[in-house]
């Protein structure tokens, strides 16, 4: 069976969308958001009631409680990103982006997560540059991985190449959405709910906002998503892309950075600070940036957090530096050489970017956090794009 249209969103199939989503589509997304938050929270509330009545909870129930709260939280964060896309206040830039390098950077960032889940990501990537908004490109590729990892029952195959004339960049993501052992089951023809979750909605709407066509096919237990980027750079590029490249270039040939109002929205930051008031101050300083923010109180907790998957950047309290930090730093930089660390010092200190320090750590004084931290993160998280 071929299914290009999610059953719950027949009017909003990715393959049928030619422009901005309709009010009806956004109404369906809001309804789906409510369901994906309410479901896990209802399960969590039931376990809390059981805890109150019995006064005890076993390890399995505690794990299930944490998972339910985590699912609701993730749905809420995806909802925030969807709301940002729906706001109409985005100012997209046109900049030359090496699509292959950005994709490889995202895959390196997610390598711990894929390994922890036992999922192999196979890549056949042709080197291609495109004209697009860098921050939304980064968000789209991360959203794609979130959706694929939550939906696959196999390896994930990624192929990046060019279409025949007129040349477009074509990113194809292929995986089995059913266990191969269940393909003969009569229920195999049904589309799993995970395929049409909020994670998919975020992929679809981010692509549409970027002007990237999302084409999805679900057939015989296999899902194939094709993302077509219309404006490529190089000898194969069409006239519009070449014109945009000239118009967007600086006199020295470099391109201006993204002017998006929240250029790093959806990026994940881990705060490591022993003092609750410092964690709170750092969160407040970053709250307008659309980031996903988590906080831990020790390097030991940071190791446990990163073992499940790396964030995109770490902001940490200088007093926690020591052997445990050095070990974390070495492990992370070995996997992601462009990873961003920002050290927050109590004493007066000039703000330094990672490119200006011998050890590659960005530094900022606590007294400058409110004013300077967003700019520091904007630079640091953009390094690998």
């Amino acid at each position: 069976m071929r299914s290009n249209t999610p059953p719950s969103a027949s009017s909003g199939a990715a393959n049928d969308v030619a422009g901005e989503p309709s009010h009806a589509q956004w109404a369906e997304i809001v309804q789906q958001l409510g369901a994906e938050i309410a479901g896990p929270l209802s399960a969590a509330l039931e376990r809390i009631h059981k805890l109150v009545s019995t006064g005890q909870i076993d390890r399995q129930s505690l794990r299930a409680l944490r998972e339910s709260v985590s699912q609701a939280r993730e749905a809420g964060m995806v909802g925030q990103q969807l709301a940002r896309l729906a706001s109409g206040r985005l100012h997209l830039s046109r900049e030359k982006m090496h699509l292959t390098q950005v994709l490889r950077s995202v895959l390196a960032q997610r390598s711990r997560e894929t390994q922890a889940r036992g999922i192999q990501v196979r890549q056949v990537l042709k080197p291609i540059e495109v004209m697009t908004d860098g921050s939304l490109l980064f968000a789209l590729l991360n959203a794609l991985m979130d959706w694929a990892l939550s939906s696959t029952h196999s390896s994930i195959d990624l192929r990046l190449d060019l279409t025949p004339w007129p040349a477009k960049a074509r990113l194809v993501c292929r995986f089995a959405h059913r266990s191969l052992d269940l393909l003969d089951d009569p229920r195999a023809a049904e589309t799993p709910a995970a395929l049409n979750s909020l994670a998919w909605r975020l992929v679809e709407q981010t692509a549409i906002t970027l002007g990237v066509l999302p084409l999805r096919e679900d057939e015989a237990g296999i899902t194939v998503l094709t993302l077509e980027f219309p404006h490529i750079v190089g000898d194969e590029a069409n006239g519009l892309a070449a014109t945009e490249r000239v118009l967007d270039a600086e006199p020295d040939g470099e391109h201006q950075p993204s002017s998006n109002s929240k250029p790093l929205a959806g990026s994940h930051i881990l705060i490591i600070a022993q003092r609750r008031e410092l964690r709170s101050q750092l969160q407040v300083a970053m709250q307008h940036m659309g980031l996903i923010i988590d906080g831990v109180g020790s390097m030991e907790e940071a190791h446990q957090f990163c073992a499940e998957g790396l964030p995109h950047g770490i902001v940490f309290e200088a007093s926690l530096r020591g052997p445990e930090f050095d070990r974390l730093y070495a492990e992370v930089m070995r996997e992601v050489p462009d990873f961003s660390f920002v050290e927050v010092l109590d004493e007066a200190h000039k703000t330094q970017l990672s490119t200006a320090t011998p050890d590659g750590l960005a530094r900022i004084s606590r007294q400058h956090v409110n004013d300077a931290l967003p700019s520091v993160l904007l630079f640091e998280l953009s390094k690998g794009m």
Side-chain angles (χ1 to χ4, degrees), residues 103 122-125 144 156-161 163 169-175 215 223-229:
L103 177 56
R122 299 185 295 205
Q123 314 166 39
V124 179
L125 309 179
L144 172 64
I156 298 173
D157 294 332
L158 295 173
R159 186 179 77 250
L160 179 60
D161 58 16
T163 65
R170 177 174 57 193
L171 174 58
V172 179
C173 176
R174 182 181 186 276
F175 57 84
L215 300 168
T223 289
V224 179
L225 172 64
T226 302
L227 299 174
E228 288 190 357
F229 296 79

Side-chain angles (χ1 to χ4, degrees), residues 34 52 122 173 177 248 317:
V52 171
R122 299 185 295 205
C173 176
H177 63 251
D248 283 355
E317 185 177 358

Side-chain angles (χ1 to χ4, degrees), residues 193-209:
L195 279 181
N196 298 318
S197 64
L198 282 175
W200 161 249
R201 295 287 200 170
L202 184 59
V203 173
E204 182 184 42
Q205 300 306 327
T206 305
I208 291 169
T209 302

Side-chain angles (χ1 to χ4, degrees), residues 3-248:
S3 172
N4 291 341
T5 305
S8 62
S10 58
S11 63
N15 301 1
D16 299 332
V17 175
E20 292 296 318
S22 67
H23 292 300
Q25 287 175 262
W26 282 118
E28 290 175 356
I29 291 174
V30 170
Q31 185 177 18
Q32 187 173 356
L33 172 62
E36 290 197 23
I37 292 177
L41 286 183
S42 296
L45 187 59
E46 183 178 342
R47 294 188 182 279
I48 291 172
H49 285 322
K50 184 178 180 180
L51 170 62
V52 171
S53 62
T54 64
Q56 58 184 4
I57 186 170
D58 57 36
R59 182 171 297 181
Q60 182 178 359
S61 296
L62 181 60
R63 185 182 302 113
L65 177 60
R66 288 182 57 187
E67 289 176 356
S68 294
V69 174
S70 178
Q71 289 171 5
R73 177 176 179 269
E74 289 173 6
M77 291 188 296
V78 172
Q80 288 179 329
Q81 295 177 66
L82 285 166
R84 172 173 168 263
L85 296 175
S87 69
R89 294 193 297 269
L90 294 182
H91 303 288
L92 302 187
S93 69
R94 287 286 188 191
E95 48 192 319
K96 183 170 70 172
M97 301 297 301
H98 200 297
L99 178 55
T100 315
Q101 291 180 359
V102 176
L103 177 56
R104 284 178 175 152
S105 174
V106 169
L107 294 177
Q109 197 87 39
R110 308 296 291 266
S111 61
R112 286 196 179 197
E113 185 179 355
T114 56
Q115 291 170 12
R117 298 188 185 195
I119 298 173
Q120 182 183 9
V121 181
R122 299 185 295 205
Q123 314 166 39
V124 179
L125 309 179
K126 183 175 181 178
I128 298 174
E129 292 181 316
V130 296
M131 298 297 297
T132 191
D133 183 275
S135 59
L136 271 191
L137 173 63
F138 182 71
L140 173 61
L141 297 179
N142 268 293
L144 172 64
M145 288 303 298
D146 286 337
W147 172 68
L149 287 170
S150 66
S151 303
T152 186
H153 288 263
S154 67
S155 60
I156 298 173
D157 294 332
L158 295 173
R159 186 179 77 250
L160 179 60
D161 58 16
L162 294 172
T163 65
W165 190 91
K168 299 176 183 178
R170 177 174 57 193
L171 174 58
V172 179
C173 176
R174 182 181 186 276
F175 57 84
H177 63 251
R178 289 281 185 195
S179 172
L180 299 181
D181 298 335
L182 299 177
L183 290 184
D184 295 331
D185 192 307
R187 291 172 297 177
E190 301 174 5
T191 303
L195 279 181
N196 298 318
S197 64
L198 282 175
W200 161 249
R201 295 287 200 170
L202 184 59
V203 173
E204 182 184 42
Q205 300 306 327
T206 305
I208 291 169
T209 302
L210 265 181
V212 173
L213 181 64
L215 300 168
R216 191 182 115 194
E217 294 183 353
D218 308 315
E219 187 175 11
I222 302 297
T223 289
V224 179
L225 172 64
T226 302
L227 299 174
E228 288 190 357
F229 296 79
H231 306 312
I232 65 173
V233 177
D235 294 338
E236 305 94 338
N238 58 36
L240 175 60
T243 301
E244 288 174 334
R245 181 177 56 179
V246 172
L247 292 177
D248 283 355

